[in-house]
């Protein structure tokens, strides 16, 4: 497992003199079983190794693991009060508090047999975003309604889907669409030709183009080339305080300024 205490020191011991959005900190060998690494708004680090979530705070390390649910497909820690864990293969969602204590388990197959979820995350209203593979539509799950609330139209063609708070995103060709919880398209972001979106968080998004990685600030339309990533990125996690880039054998870490 990564020695996260040492990693935090590397991340924050260097102060950048450049007015960059992201400052490169370190490149580390990536364990084969590491599937998530991020730093939240408080500076706490969270990693997932062999489907066990470990959250390290200055006072204590918290863990969560449910081996009976299988592989973790998605972990959403953006809500400061609760976290969401999505197990796609077994169609389960687990809600945890901010110390990774169990709060709720939802069997999607039993409760919502009409959907086949391939993505799940929290909205800012503590409801759940789900992308349904059967209808190719976004929907919202809430304890107040016994059936999914479908929003927006069916997506016949997309290359990437994600969410951030009360917004869902998808890329079709070179356009990234933003939709609110009511199904209204609220923004359209144009990427360069052949660019592929990898992550989004508020005004920042990361895309790959010709095996090069770029960070785009959609608020000021400023693009930064993340030049330290030497091999093609496979997965990117864009958190409040960090950009974590996974390649086939390395973890590259950037600090968000």
């Amino acid at each position: 497992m990564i020695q996260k205490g040492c990693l935090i020191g590397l991340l924050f011991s260097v102060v950048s003199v450049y007015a960059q959005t992201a400052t490169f900190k370190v490149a580390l060998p990536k364990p084969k079983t590491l599937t998530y690494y991020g730093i939240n708004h408080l500076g706490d680090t969270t990693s997932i190794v062999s489907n066990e979530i470990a959250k390290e705070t200055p006072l204590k390390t918290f863990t969560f693991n449910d081996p009976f649910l299988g592989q973790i497909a998605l972990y959403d820690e953006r809500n400061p009060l609760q976290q969401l864990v999505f197990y796609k293969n077994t169609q389960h969602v687990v809600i945890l508090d901010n110390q990774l204590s169990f709060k709720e388990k939802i069997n999607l197959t039993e409760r919502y047999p009409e959907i086949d979820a391939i993505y799940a995350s929290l909205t800012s209203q503590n409801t759940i975003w789900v992308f349904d593979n059967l209808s190719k539509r976004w929907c919202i799950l809430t304890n107040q309604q016994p059936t999914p609330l479908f929003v927006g139209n069916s997506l016949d063609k997309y290359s990437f889907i994600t969410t951030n708070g009360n917004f869902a995103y998808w890329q079709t060709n070179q356009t990234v669409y933003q939709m609110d919880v009511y199904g209204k398209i609220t923004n359209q972001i144009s990427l360069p030709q052949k660019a592929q979106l990898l992550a989004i968080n508020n005004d920042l998004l990361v895309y790959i183009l010709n095996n090069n990685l770029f960070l785009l600030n959609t608020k000021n339309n400023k693009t930064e080339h993340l030049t330290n990533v030497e091999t093609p990125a496979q997965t990117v996690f864009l958190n409040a305080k960090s950009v974590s880039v996974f390649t086939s054998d390395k973890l590259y870490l950037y600090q968000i300024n």
Side-chain angles (χ1 to χ4, degrees), residues 20-256:
Q20 296 173 301
T21 301
T23 303
F24 176 70
K25 291 301 177 184
V26 67
L28 299 170
K30 182 177 72 68
K32 290 184 179 180
T33 56
L34 177 72
T35 54
Y36 178 86
Y37 191 92
I39 302 174
N40 69 12
H41 65 293
L42 298 175
D44 303 329
T45 64
T46 302
S47 63
I48 299 177
V49 177
S50 300
N51 294 303
E52 179 177 82
I53 306 171
K55 178 179 180 180
E56 183 172 335
T57 72
L59 299 178
K60 187 177 180 180
T61 297
F62 305 96
T63 62
F64 173 82
N65 182 29
D66 191 332
F68 299 104
L69 294 182
Q71 182 178 358
I72 296 174
L74 187 144
Y75 174 64
D76 183 3
E77 63 169 331
R78 290 169 292 190
N79 187 312
L81 300 179
Q82 61 182 8
Q83 333 277 277
L84 179 146
V85 191
F86 175 48
Y87 298 86
K88 176 179 176 292
N89 292 340
T90 56
Q91 289 288 286
H92 277 79
V93 167
V94 174
I95 304 298
L96 309 173
D97 67 14
N98 60 3
Q99 295 184 349
L100 302 187
S101 296
F102 174 84
K103 293 182 66 176
E104 183 182 7
K105 181 189 294 185
I106 304 171
N107 185 327
L108 297 175
T109 302
E110 290 183 357
R111 189 177 299 187
Y112 306 102
E114 64 268 47
I115 65 173
D116 175 24
I118 60 171
Y119 181 99
S121 68
L122 289 171
T123 72
S124 298
Q125 301 166 333
N126 293 331
T127 53
I128 298 174
W129 279 112
V130 163
F131 189 81
D132 172 35
N133 194 42
L134 299 178
S135 64
K136 309 297 183 185
R137 294 178 68 188
W138 289 101
C139 63
I140 293 176
L141 309 182
T142 173
N143 289 331
Q144 282 69 48
Q145 289 188 313
T147 58
L149 174 63
F150 285 91
V151 293
N153 298 321
S154 176
L155 305 183
D156 296 326
K157 182 180 179 183
Y158 63 90
S159 58
F160 189 83
I161 56 173
T162 190
T163 63
N164 183 60
N166 282 340
F167 297 99
Y169 298 85
W170 65 91
Q171 179 178 349
T172 299
N173 298 322
Q174 303 315 125
T175 302
V176 177
Y177 295 89
Q178 174 183 282
M179 182 184 69
D180 65 18
V181 292
Y182 305 105
K184 179 181 178 181
I185 302 296
T186 53
N187 195 13
Q188 297 182 36
I189 304 165
S190 295
L191 297 182
Q193 191 71 21
K194 297 184 179 180
Q196 178 59 57
L197 178 66
L198 294 179
I200 194 163
N201 192 339
N202 295 325
D203 295 325
L204 301 178
L205 64 81
V206 176
Y207 65 85
I208 190 169
L209 176 63
N210 297 326
N211 290 331
N212 292 306
L213 209 59
F214 297 90
L215 177 69
L216 170 64
N217 187 324
T218 60
K219 192 172 184 179
N220 58 21
N221 207 32
K222 178 183 177 182
T223 301
E224 297 178 16
H225 183 194
L226 305 182
T227 57
N228 300 89
V229 181
E230 299 173 347
T231 55
Q234 296 180 339
T235 308
V236 173
F237 300 104
L238 182 54
N239 298 81
K241 291 291 186 180
S242 68
V243 182
S244 305
V245 181
F246 286 16
T247 67
S248 60
D249 60 352
K250 286 187 178 182
L251 163 62
Y252 294 85
L253 289 170
Y254 290 79
Q255 178 182 320
I256 298 294

